[in-house]
Amino acid sequence: MLIQLKKVTIVAESLLKEGILEILKAQGSTGYTITACEGEGSKGIHASDFEGRNIQIDTIVSSEVGQLVLTAVSERYMKNYALIAYMNDVEVVREDKFK
Amino acid sequence: MLIQLKKVTIVAESLLKEGILEILKAQGSTGYTITACEGEGSKGIHASDFEGRNIQIDTIVSSEVGQLVLTAVSERYMKNYALIAYMNDVEVVREDKFK
Amino acid sequence: MLIQLKKVTIVAESLLKEGILEILKAQGSTGYTITACEGEGSKGIHASDFEGRNIQIDTIVSSEVGQLVLTAVSERYMKNYALIAYMNDVEVVREDKFK
Amino acid sequence: MLCRCQKQSGTSHIMELAIQNLISPVVLCFVLGAIARWVKSDFKLPDAVYQSLSIYLLLAIGLKGGVAISKTPINELILPALVTLALGIITPLSAFFVMRKFGGLNKTDAAATAAHYGSVSAVTFLASIEAAKLAGLEFEGYVAALMALLEIPGIIVGLILARGKGSGSLGSAIHDVVTGKSIFLLIGGLVIGTACGADKIDGVAPFFIDPFKGVLCLFLLELGTVAASRMRDMKQAGWKLIILGSAIPVVHGILGTAAGILVGMSPGGAAILGAMVGSASYIAAPAAVRIALPEASPGIYLTLALGVTFPFNLILGIPLYMKTAEILSQL
Amino acid sequence: MLCRCQKQSGTSHIMELAIQNLISPVVLCFVLGAIARWVKSDFKLPDAVYQSLSIYLLLAIGLKGGVAISKTPINELILPALVTLALGIITPLSAFFVMRKFGGLNKTDAAATAAHYGSVSAVTFLASIEAAKLAGLEFEGYVAALMALLEIPGIIVGLILARGKGSGSLGSAIHDVVTGKSIFLLIGGLVIGTACGADKIDGVAPFFIDPFKGVLCLFLLELGTVAASRMRDMKQAGWKLIILGSAIPVVHGILGTAAGILVGMSPGGAAILGAMVGSASYIAAPAAVRIALPEASPGIYLTLALGVTFPFNLILGIPLYMKTAEILSQL
Amino acid sequence: MLCRCQKQSGTSHIMELAIQNLISPVVLCFVLGAIARWVKSDFKLPDAVYQSLSIYLLLAIGLKGGVAISKTPINELILPALVTLALGIITPLSAFFVMRKFGGLNKTDAAATAAHYGSVSAVTFLASIEAAKLAGLEFEGYVAALMALLEIPGIIVGLILARGKGSGSLGSAIHDVVTGKSIFLLIGGLVIGTACGADKIDGVAPFFIDPFKGVLCLFLLELGTVAASRMRDMKQAGWKLIILGSAIPVVHGILGTAAGILVGMSPGGAAILGAMVGSASYIAAPAAVRIALPEASPGIYLTLALGVTFPFNLILGIPLYMKTAEILSQL
Ligand SMILES: Nc1ncnc2c1ncn2[C@@H]1O[C@H](COP(=O)(O)O)[C@@H](O)[C@H]1O
Ligand SMILES: Nc1ncnc2c1ncn2[C@@H]1O[C@H](COP(=O)(O)O)[C@@H](O)[C@H]1O
Ligand SMILES: Nc1ncnc2c1ncn2[C@@H]1O[C@H](COP(=O)(O)O)[C@@H](O)[C@H]1O
Ligand code: NA
Ligand code: NA
Ligand code: NA
């Protein structure tokens, strides 16, 4: 009953929200979950405190879509923006929700 | 020293909080962590903005309890409510906290 | 292009924030993400609601650093404080960000 | 002839009232919020603050209403209270009937929608108070108590109408409704206001009373964005429902206004009662219905309540009920 | 005979005071919050807003106190300040002694509890001010400065009492206490208020002064839910401790009141000082103690401070200190 | 000789003004926030509340400005508006030139910085209003409208200056700027204020007008911590840039003040215009620049705007512009 899928997680400055969600949609993700967060990494400075801190975007996708999303996000944003992206295996109920 | 357990994650509209926590307890989970989040999926509409957005509930459990929780939650809520549920492997310190 | 690393997750009462971040730095983590959360576990009581609820700290690290962080955190805090800690595998883009 | 003449001047008067009503900070903030959504602005009131503004508004309504109750002889309250309760039982029934007969909804969806039209929208209530003030109409202070009375029965009648269709026990549903934060705070505020009376509430007036209208503006700014999202979902509801979502408030609103005049309320108070009766809840009812009637479609009841009926009342309904009250009071 | 007679009328007066004190928006909001928890309402002030209300209250107390200091000749301040400092050193010692001797606590738990009773509860302080105003008592404006003075020494004495028992350096613990947000904001507000004086603070009065009491209501609504949770944990503390948690504030409170009268404060000011001395901190102290004394059980010190002593003072303690001040001032 | 004499007394007057300006709740709250960061206090206004305060301030500025517009004959507005637009085009050019020539920045970084200096800091604007009030200077109510005018062109000019260097379309960048929440709320407030006029805005004054300055204090408390973090990043910017970050506001500020006097504004109004022109945006501009010019380094433009120029203006710039206005108006 459980199906093996991937959870892709992207942590980025919140200004990138719209752009990342566009990528998700374009690559075939059917849904996402956003959480507000803070953090520190290699890029110390964030654009604007008025815009809120970081966001974490999770999306459950197939392994292929996961690869595509990671590639697209890192190509578009990794160089100039504060962003990390990774994925891990998850066992999911009701796979039809994610297709 | 590290023990292999499961992390079950449930993302759902926040109205379901009490019900989901009841299920967790009933199935043998010893603790949980709740995070506020937003999201989109197959069900576009949430019941009430006054009640807050989505919640993400994580619980660290044994593999068996994880299966039970996923089954119980999806049977009770998946049809009519906005909800996804999945689990993944985690290596945990101090397993006695989770029994 | 994807590299296998570990994501260490620590959920703790928020008073411990500074101390945990010190440990992360000392053990060689290069970044972290903090999310506000609530929860329940074996220790029912938290020190002060004025100080905010729980926090969840995620850090992407190598397997060795992950072990060190888990050991250090649990040795220093597990006995007296509300805290859980675990880690899981993640596949990461651009490993150079985490070294 | 006099009647027709009156009617004409009445109609023009309604337009004036409507325009005067529209050009107010409260309404314009709602419109600004909707525009924010339409032009895809990234404006968004943080969730925590939006929830806190709700808490503030409900508690403040309660406190104010409680002070009014503490000043009103009980026998003046009884008749309006009874009539309000009656309307809280009648209007979900009529909404259910209309939604089944003309709206083509199944039993559960019709009952869920009925629960919303039977209950009351706190913000419509507040907007009608502002409109009454703007128009220079006096009204009874105890209307906030009537609002609390009107919130609950409609929801319960709606849930009863849906019964048989599986779902949990009515008892626990009622517990949820009454302890749900919106009704809990409203009633809590009423009790505190009544117990403390005007003198002691005066000390908290610079927080709960004076800035109230401004807080309402901020709340409506966010509500405008939410309502604009709902308006986008209108296709799901369909044109038939959208027309009904404008017709029902007119019927219920005029009924409520007439009932208010009948039991001797002032024109202002009757119009406010009309606005309440004509309004559809989108805070207390959705939460209760979502839990008790999970099969009902939020795409229908929420869109009707927040996307259709609320803006309709805000812009056209309230002036209409005020005009109705004026005409009826002169009979 | 005169004395006994006075005592009787005194007793009845305390009941009146207690009831008058109870029926106020501030106290009733606290009760409403506790009820919310008991009936399992889903009411909850979002964390971010609750924290911000704390920030507001502490800064506002500071500003107000600062203005009062700027108006008070220093030599008037010296004696009350010294006596407050002395009480901040004596009361943790007495609380420690009692908790060890009669409470059966181990050294660490007793010291942790002592730190709480040695420090002060800002909300009890505020409630005592409201009660004094309600009773028509005048008081010295500089009491807020005394509160700031009273916050710190008790915590430090408590930490010293626990020493030897492992734990980190006292120096870093003290740094944490002083830069902890609650004390930082209070002192910051005092300095700003003193530097600016009444005229310049007037410009921010519509935000920091006028709505203050209303904000306090909202804060107490949430604090009521938190305190109600603590009351549930009372089993962990045990009956003996609960009795001590009511006895200590009486002793400390009367001591503080008497000291206030002795150094020439007005009855109102002395009663407020008594309420402060009798209160137990549940904002600054828990945070400091949790870090510096991790082995101490929050199930004991938090339950005592917030679940027992705070409601006791709110409902019975404050009227008692006011009556005490009245009697002592007539001697 | 008269001139020199005047100049001397002018200089001393500036110090007095600066000190009087410093000792105000608004400035001291900023300083307190910075201290909080320096002593590593855990004070932190929750993000949700900080964002909401921004929303409140921008909407309130808009409403107030709108009321002023509704009272001002249009022909009085035209000249100041045109001059403001011109300054919004000139100042990014001069800042770009200076940053390229003397600051050693590459084209993108210079353009990004220019966008900030061409736009305006709402909080500097507010602080200059408070300072003018404190100094007893009258000013034109429509300055808030000028601020809205000044926000946008500078950003657009900055983005044009950077062009060629890859990046997306200018059109979508402009859409982002105009629908960005800060400018959207400011303009929305202006429209609502103008449409409603003084009478109707009066009803929301106890929320949007009276407590405004106090809210500003709370906002500045948090902004102080943010600015203090930026000051730590100054090494990244380098001394040359820090000096330019103080010199540019002086030049632009005096230019703006002189322009204001020239078009017949009162000394107070001209000084406020000067403060706006001399200020660098750290709300609207950073968000726009970050999206449209990703290669530009926030470590430079943010540090200059928030870490250097904002505190400079708050403490020295504003008194300087006021003195300048006074002198120029006497010529
Ligand atoms: N090693 C890490 N572990 C967890 N989160 C990280 C790590 N590095 C960076 N982050 C998160 O990603 C954001 C952007 O990272 P960076 O681009 O490295 O500044 C940071 O603000 C953190 O929230
Ligand atoms: N593919 C997905 N990845 C991550 N989160 C999802 C996904 N689909 C749905 N969600 C989350 O689960 C909630 C309910 O989903 P749904 O029932 O599909 O509307 C959404 O609001 C999202 O927060
Ligand atoms: N089994 C669990 N699953 C997920 N989170 C947990 C679990 N147990 C504890 N937690 C989290 O860790 C915090 C501290 O746990 P404890 O020390 O057991 O009180 C709790 O408040 C929860 O947020
Ligand atoms: Na209704
Ligand atoms: Na004390
Ligand atoms: Na500028």
Side-chain angles (χ1 to χ4, degrees):
Chain A
M1 209 195 92
L2 294 179
I3 287 95
Q4 198 79 19
L5 289 172
K6 293 281 181 186
K7 177 166 87 167
V8 174
T9 300
I10 299 155
V11 179
E13 44 190 305
S14 55
L15 279 173
L16 304 182
K17 180 175 150 186
E18 292 307 321
I20 293 170
L21 294 185
E22 271 167 30
I23 290 179
L24 293 197
K25 213 170 222 173
Q27 303 298 338
S29 151
T30 61
Y32 61 86
T33 298
I34 298 188
T35 318
C37 56
E38 286 176 71
E40 255 181 59
S42 54
K43 301 225 176 51
I45 281 188
H46 292 190
S48 165
D49 289 304
F50 182 46
E51 301 296 318
R53 315 289 152 91
N54 285 356
I55 49 172
Q56 170 172 328
I57 302 183
D58 291 322
T59 181
I60 308 284
V61 288
S62 67
S63 181
E64 303 82 63
V65 173
Q67 289 276 2
L68 291 173
V69 166
L70 286 183
T71 309
V73 164
S74 58
E75 268 173 15
R76 179 143 156 215
Y77 292 121
M78 203 71 109
K79 198 181 140 222
N80 290 311
Y81 294 100
L83 178 142
I84 63 168
Y86 54 87
M87 70 179 181
N88 62 274
D89 294 323
V90 290
E91 298 162 72
V92 174
V93 193
R94 286 266 316 269
E95 70 166 327
D96 52 311
K97 290 201 86 162
F98 306 97
K99 278 195 178 151
Chain B
M1 213 197 88
L2 294 180
I3 287 95
Q4 198 78 22
L5 290 172
K6 294 280 183 186
K7 176 165 88 168
V8 173
T9 300
I10 300 155
V11 179
E13 45 190 303
S14 55
L15 279 174
L16 304 182
K17 181 176 150 186
E18 291 308 320
I20 293 170
L21 294 185
E22 270 167 31
I23 290 178
L24 294 196
K25 213 169 223 173
Q27 303 300 338
S29 152
T30 62
Y32 62 86
T33 298
I34 298 189
T35 318
C37 56
E38 285 178 69
E40 255 181 58
S42 53
K43 300 225 176 50
I45 282 188
H46 292 191
S48 164
D49 288 305
F50 182 46
E51 300 295 319
R53 314 289 151 93
N54 285 357
I55 48 172
Q56 170 172 328
I57 301 183
D58 292 322
T59 182
I60 310 283
V61 289
S62 67
S63 181
E64 303 82 63
V65 172
Q67 289 276 1
L68 291 172
V69 166
L70 285 183
T71 309
V73 164
S74 58
E75 269 175 13
R76 179 142 156 214
Y77 292 121
M78 204 70 109
K79 199 180 139 221
N80 290 312
Y81 294 101
L83 179 142
I84 63 168
Y86 53 88
M87 70 180 179
N88 63 275
D89 293 323
V90 289
E91 297 162 72
V92 175
V93 194
R94 285 266 318 269
E95 71 165 327
D96 51 311
K97 290 202 85 161
F98 306 97
K99 278 192 177 154
Chain C
M1 212 196 90
L2 294 180
I3 287 95
Q4 198 78 22
L5 290 172
K6 293 281 183 185
K7 177 166 87 166
V8 173
T9 300
I10 300 155
V11 180
E13 45 189 304
S14 55
L15 279 173
L16 303 183
K17 180 176 151 187
E18 291 308 320
I20 293 171
L21 294 185
E22 270 167 31
I23 290 178
L24 294 196
K25 213 170 222 174
Q27 303 300 338
S29 151
T30 62
Y32 60 87
T33 299
I34 299 188
T35 317
C37 56
E38 286 177 70
E40 255 181 58
S42 54
K43 298 224 176 52
I45 282 187
H46 292 191
S48 165
D49 288 304
F50 182 47
E51 299 296 318
R53 316 287 151 96
N54 284 358
I55 49 172
Q56 170 172 328
I57 301 183
D58 291 322
T59 182
I60 308 285
V61 288
S62 68
S63 182
E64 302 81 62
V65 173
Q67 291 275 1
L68 291 173
V69 166
L70 286 182
T71 309
V73 165
S74 59
E75 267 174 14
R76 180 144 154 213
Y77 292 121
M78 202 70 110
K79 198 181 141 220
N80 289 311
Y81 294 101
L83 179 142
I84 64 168
Y86 55 87
M87 69 180 180
N88 62 274
D89 294 323
V90 289
E91 298 161 72
V92 175
V93 193
R94 288 264 318 268
E95 71 165 327
D96 51 311
K97 292 201 83 162
F98 305 98
K99 278 192 178 153
Chain D
M1 242 187 69
L2 185 81
C3 175
R4 176 176 282 173
C5 162
Q6 253 194 342
K7 218 175 184 177
Q8 278 177 341
S9 90
T11 315
S12 80
H13 194 191
I14 287 181
M15 284 325 288
E16 266 170 51
L17 268 178
I19 286 163
Q20 198 195 6
N21 188 35
L22 264 174
I23 301 187
S24 80
V26 167
V27 174
L28 290 181
C29 277
F30 178 78
V31 173
L32 186 65
I35 292 174
R37 181 57 51 98
W38 290 327
V39 302
K40 292 178 196 268
S41 164
D42 62 343
F43 164 75
K44 174 109 216 58
L45 202 64
D47 212 32
V49 172
Y50 181 58
Q51 286 184 41
S52 302
L53 295 188
S54 297
I55 290 170
Y56 169 90
L57 291 173
L58 289 162
L59 193 60
I61 297 174
L63 290 175
K64 231 169 161 176
V67 170
I69 292 178
S70 78
K71 288 182 187 162
T72 315
I74 299 176
N75 59 322
E76 257 184 52
L77 275 172
I78 292 175
L79 218 56
L82 286 179
V83 115
T84 302
L85 278 177
L87 288 164
I89 291 167
I90 294 166
T91 53
L93 294 173
S94 58
F96 181 75
F97 175 79
V98 168
M99 286 298 166
R100 286 289 273 164
K101 185 92 180 181
F102 306 109
L105 295 188
N106 66 38
K107 194 175 153 195
T108 313
D109 280 334
T113 308
H116 289 70
Y117 281 100
S119 185
V120 55
S121 145
V123 183
T124 307
F125 164 70
L126 294 174
S128 71
I129 285 191
E130 291 310 327
K133 281 188 195 160
L134 220 64
L137 293 178
E138 303 261 309
F139 56 89
E140 288 78 10
Y142 61 69
V143 282
L146 300 186
M147 195 196 100
L149 270 183
L150 193 56
E151 283 224 58
I152 301 173
I155 299 176
I156 294 171
V157 172
L159 298 187
I160 293 174
L161 284 170
R163 273 204 123 184
K165 270 251 136 177
S167 83
S169 84
L170 194 66
S172 96
I174 294 177
H175 174 268
D176 283 0
V177 173
V178 178
T179 64
K181 55 188 145 196
S182 55
I183 291 175
F184 182 82
L185 285 167
L186 186 61
I187 295 180
L190 276 173
V191 172
I192 295 179
T194 311
C196 290
D199 279 0
K200 283 175 176 172
I201 295 298
D202 246 18
V204 297
F207 181 68
F208 282 115
I209 313 294
D210 306 341
F212 184 88
K213 197 170 160 184
V215 175
L216 184 61
C217 286
L218 210 54
F219 186 78
L220 275 170
L221 191 60
E222 179 66 19
L223 199 63
T225 72
V226 180
S229 314
R230 290 282 162 254
M231 291 180 201
R232 286 205 187 151
D233 292 330
M234 277 191 188
K235 296 146 241 166
Q236 203 185 332
W239 274 107
K240 218 193 291 175
L241 286 182
I242 293 168
I243 291 168
L244 293 181
S246 311
I248 292 178
V250 171
V251 177
H252 287 177
I254 291 179
L255 184 70
T257 308
I261 295 288
L262 212 73
V263 298
M265 289 175 75
S266 66
I272 291 168
L273 181 60
M276 291 197 268
V277 174
S279 75
S281 162
Y282 40 85
I283 293 182
V289 163
R290 186 79 179 126
I291 287 293
L293 303 177
E295 323 83 38
S297 163
I300 294 173
Y301 58 72
L302 265 189
T303 303
L304 282 175
L306 189 51
V308 181
T309 299
F310 174 61
F312 174 84
N313 275 327
L314 195 62
I315 292 169
L316 292 179
I318 293 173
L320 175 69
Y321 313 140
M322 293 204 304
K323 189 67 204 163
T324 307
E326 201 191 305
I327 292 172
L328 290 179
S329 70
Q330 285 160 357
L331 294 184
Chain E
M1 242 186 71
L2 184 82
C3 176
R4 176 176 282 172
C5 161
Q6 255 192 341
K7 217 172 182 178
Q8 279 178 341
S9 90
T11 315
S12 78
H13 194 190
I14 288 181
M15 285 325 289
E16 266 169 51
L17 268 177
I19 286 163
Q20 198 194 5
N21 188 36
L22 264 174
I23 301 187
S24 79
V26 168
V27 174
L28 290 181
C29 277
F30 178 79
V31 173
L32 186 64
I35 292 174
R37 180 57 51 98
W38 290 327
V39 301
K40 291 176 195 269
S41 164
D42 62 345
F43 164 76
K44 173 107 215 62
L45 202 62
D47 212 31
V49 172
Y50 181 57
Q51 285 184 41
S52 302
L53 295 188
S54 296
I55 290 170
Y56 169 90
L57 292 174
L58 289 161
L59 193 60
I61 297 174
L63 290 175
K64 231 172 166 174
V67 170
I69 291 179
S70 77
K71 287 182 188 163
T72 315
I74 299 174
N75 60 320
E76 257 183 53
L77 274 172
I78 292 175
L79 217 56
L82 286 178
V83 114
T84 301
L85 278 176
L87 289 165
I89 292 167
I90 295 167
T91 53
L93 294 173
S94 59
F96 182 76
F97 175 79
V98 168
M99 286 298 167
R100 287 288 272 163
K101 185 92 179 182
F102 305 110
L105 295 188
N106 66 39
K107 194 175 150 194
T108 313
D109 281 335
T113 308
H116 289 70
Y117 282 100
S119 185
V120 55
S121 145
V123 183
T124 307
F125 164 70
L126 295 174
S128 72
I129 286 190
E130 292 309 326
K133 282 188 195 159
L134 219 66
L137 293 178
E138 303 261 308
F139 55 88
E140 288 78 10
Y142 61 70
V143 283
L146 301 186
M147 195 197 101
L149 271 183
L150 193 56
E151 281 223 61
I152 301 174
I155 299 176
I156 294 171
V157 172
L159 299 187
I160 292 173
L161 284 170
R163 273 204 121 187
K165 271 251 136 179
S167 82
S169 84
L170 195 64
S172 96
I174 293 178
H175 174 268
D176 284 1
V177 172
V178 178
T179 64
K181 55 189 147 194
S182 55
I183 290 175
F184 182 82
L185 285 166
L186 186 60
I187 295 180
L190 276 173
V191 172
I192 295 179
T194 310
C196 290
D199 280 0
K200 285 176 174 170
I201 295 299
D202 247 19
V204 297
F207 181 68
F208 282 115
I209 313 293
D210 306 341
F212 185 88
K213 196 169 160 184
V215 175
L216 184 61
C217 286
L218 210 53
F219 186 78
L220 274 169
L221 191 60
E222 178 66 19
L223 199 63
T225 72
V226 180
S229 313
R230 290 282 162 255
M231 290 180 203
R232 285 203 189 153
D233 292 331
M234 276 190 190
K235 295 146 241 165
Q236 202 186 332
W239 274 107
K240 218 194 288 176
L241 286 183
I242 294 167
I243 292 168
L244 292 181
S246 313
I248 291 178
V250 171
V251 176
H252 286 177
I254 291 179
L255 185 70
T257 308
I261 295 288
L262 213 73
V263 298
M265 292 175 75
S266 66
I272 291 168
L273 181 60
M276 291 197 266
V277 174
S279 74
S281 162
Y282 41 83
I283 294 183
V289 163
R290 187 78 179 127
I291 287 293
L293 303 177
E295 324 82 38
S297 163
I300 293 174
Y301 57 73
L302 265 189
T303 303
L304 280 175
L306 189 51
V308 181
T309 299
F310 174 62
F312 174 85
N313 274 327
L314 195 63
I315 292 169
L316 293 178
I318 293 172
L320 174 69
Y321 312 140
M322 294 206 303
K323 190 66 206 163
T324 307
E326 200 190 306
I327 293 172
L328 290 179
S329 69
Q330 285 160 357
L331 294 184
Chain F
M1 243 186 66
L2 185 82
C3 176
R4 176 176 282 171
C5 161
Q6 256 194 341
K7 218 172 182 178
Q8 279 178 340
S9 91
T11 314
S12 79
H13 195 190
I14 287 180
M15 286 324 290
E16 266 171 49
L17 269 176
I19 286 163
Q20 198 195 3
N21 188 36
L22 265 174
I23 301 187
S24 79
V26 168
V27 174
L28 290 180
C29 277
F30 178 79
V31 173
L32 186 64
I35 293 174
R37 181 57 51 99
W38 291 326
V39 302
K40 292 176 194 269
S41 164
D42 62 344
F43 163 76
K44 173 110 217 58
L45 203 62
D47 213 32
V49 172
Y50 181 58
Q51 285 184 40
S52 303
L53 295 188
S54 296
I55 289 170
Y56 168 91
L57 291 173
L58 289 161
L59 193 60
I61 296 174
L63 290 175
K64 231 170 163 176
V67 170
I69 291 179
S70 77
K71 287 182 187 162
T72 314
I74 298 175
N75 60 319
E76 256 183 56
L77 274 172
I78 293 176
L79 217 56
L82 286 178
V83 115
T84 301
L85 279 176
L87 289 165
I89 292 167
I90 294 167
T91 53
L93 294 174
S94 59
F96 181 74
F97 175 79
V98 168
M99 286 299 166
R100 287 288 273 163
K101 186 91 178 182
F102 305 109
L105 295 188
N106 67 38
K107 195 175 151 194
T108 312
D109 280 335
T113 308
H116 289 71
Y117 281 100
S119 184
V120 56
S121 145
V123 183
T124 306
F125 164 71
L126 295 174
S128 71
I129 286 191
E130 291 310 326
K133 282 188 195 159
L134 220 63
L137 294 177
E138 303 260 308
F139 56 89
E140 289 77 10
Y142 61 71
V143 282
L146 300 186
M147 194 195 101
L149 272 183
L150 193 55
E151 281 223 61
I152 301 174
I155 298 176
I156 294 171
V157 172
L159 299 187
I160 291 174
L161 284 171
R163 274 206 122 186
K165 273 249 137 178
S167 83
S169 83
L170 194 65
S172 97
I174 293 178
H175 173 268
D176 283 1
V177 172
V178 178
T179 63
K181 55 188 146 195
S182 55
I183 291 175
F184 182 82
L185 285 167
L186 186 60
I187 295 180
L190 276 172
V191 172
I192 295 179
T194 310
C196 290
D199 280 2
K200 283 173 176 172
I201 295 299
D202 246 19
V204 297
F207 181 68
F208 282 115
I209 312 293
D210 306 341
F212 185 87
K213 197 170 161 184
V215 175
L216 183 61
C217 286
L218 210 53
F219 186 77
L220 274 169
L221 192 59
E222 178 66 18
L223 198 63
T225 72
V226 180
S229 314
R230 291 281 161 253
M231 290 181 203
R232 286 203 187 152
D233 292 331
M234 277 191 188
K235 296 146 242 165
Q236 202 186 331
W239 274 106
K240 219 194 291 175
L241 287 182
I242 294 167
I243 291 168
L244 293 180
S246 312
I248 292 178
V250 171
V251 177
H252 286 177
I254 291 179
L255 185 69
T257 308
I261 296 287
L262 213 72
V263 299
M265 290 176 75
S266 66
I272 291 168
L273 180 59
M276 290 197 269
V277 174
S279 74
S281 162
Y282 41 84
I283 293 182
V289 163
R290 186 80 179 126
I291 287 294
L293 303 177
E295 323 82 38
S297 162
I300 294 174
Y301 57 72
L302 265 189
T303 303
L304 282 176
L306 189 51
V308 181
T309 299
F310 174 62
F312 175 84
N313 275 327
L314 194 62
I315 292 169
L316 292 178
I318 292 172
L320 175 68
Y321 313 141
M322 294 205 304
K323 189 65 206 164
T324 307
E326 200 191 307
I327 293 172
L328 291 179
S329 69
Q330 285 160 358
L331 295 184

